Amino acid sequence: MTAETPATSQPLSVSILAGPSARALVHDVVSRDPKCWLGLLASSHVDSQTTHDQLTVEQLVAASGGGYDPERIRAQISAIAEKALVNHLIIECDSKTHPIAFASLFLPDGGDGQRFSEVVRLSSILLAIDSETLLSSLVHGNRAPGVTSPCIIADQIECADVVVLRGKP
């Protein structure tokens, strides 16, 4: 796969991105690398300041009773992979959803799961947070903007294989 054009022969790399600084990180990545074509499955509305020519945005399909329907999200991800318009897909995890809920989409389950694993692969689970929010939430137990609870931040840290600290130390 080249940086200029997404490849259809390799599975689409997918990352799950959690944390109160998730949108800022997506914006930074797209703004700094003109050869990067990202897809974003957004958990909430994306304003025009976040969008960019190299960023394809879709809303995560919510289930009728709230939450997310795994089969519908798998279908969304598969459709994005088959269009081959992006190099990497990011699933935005909101502050109420545990990252494992999205990571479980990539577990082999036989049947249709075999086809799914041929077109996409989970490459990472990231947490994007500024150091002030991290300290405020975990050390002092304060509820920061964009953070449901300190327990959710702790869960997101536990699941992440990459933690991106933003801002001043």
Side-chain angles (χ1 to χ4, degrees):
M1 177 166 66
T2 65
E4 287 82 16
T5 57
T8 56
S9 60
Q10 295 181 350
L12 175 64
S13 292
V14 180
S15 294
I16 298 167
L17 178 58
S21 299
R23 290 275 172 93
L25 180 61
V26 169
H27 184 266
D28 288 350
V29 170
V30 172
S31 298
R32 293 182 183 167
D33 188 355
K35 295 180 181 181
C36 180
W37 296 91
L38 288 179
L40 174 65
L41 278 180
S43 60
S44 61
H45 175 73
V46 177
D47 63 23
S48 60
Q49 292 179 354
T50 306
T51 59
H52 197 278
D53 289 342
Q54 292 121 272
L55 181 65
T56 301
V57 179
E58 280 190 32
Q59 279 301 127
L60 274 167
V61 177
S64 58
Y68 300 106
D69 178 1
E71 291 309 313
R72 291 177 75 185
I73 294 173
R74 276 184 168 201
Q76 271 187 289
I77 295 169
S78 293
I80 291 168
E82 288 174 15
K83 290 177 190 173
L85 298 175
V86 298
N87 301 95
H88 194 90
L89 177 65
I90 297 171
I91 301 173
E92 181 184 45
C93 185
D94 64 25
S95 65
K96 297 175 192 145
T97 305
H98 199 292
I100 292 298
F102 292 124
S104 66
L105 296 170
F106 298 89
L107 293 173
D109 64 355
D112 191 37
Q114 180 65 30
R115 168 78 178 116
F116 187 71
S117 66
E118 291 172 4
V119 295
V120 299
R121 70 177 177 81
L122 180 62
S123 61
S124 60
I125 300 175
L126 300 102
L127 172 65
I129 189 167
D130 64 84
S131 53
E132 185 177 325
T133 301
L134 180 64
L135 289 173
S136 176
S137 293
L138 293 183
V139 175
H140 305 294
N142 297 333
R143 202 172 276 205
V147 177
T148 306
S149 77
C151 292
I152 292 289
I153 293 293
D155 287 344
Q156 291 175 339
I157 291 170
E158 180 181 21
C159 293
D161 60 327
V162 177
V163 176
V164 179
L165 283 175
R166 299 179 42 84
K168 299 176 188 173

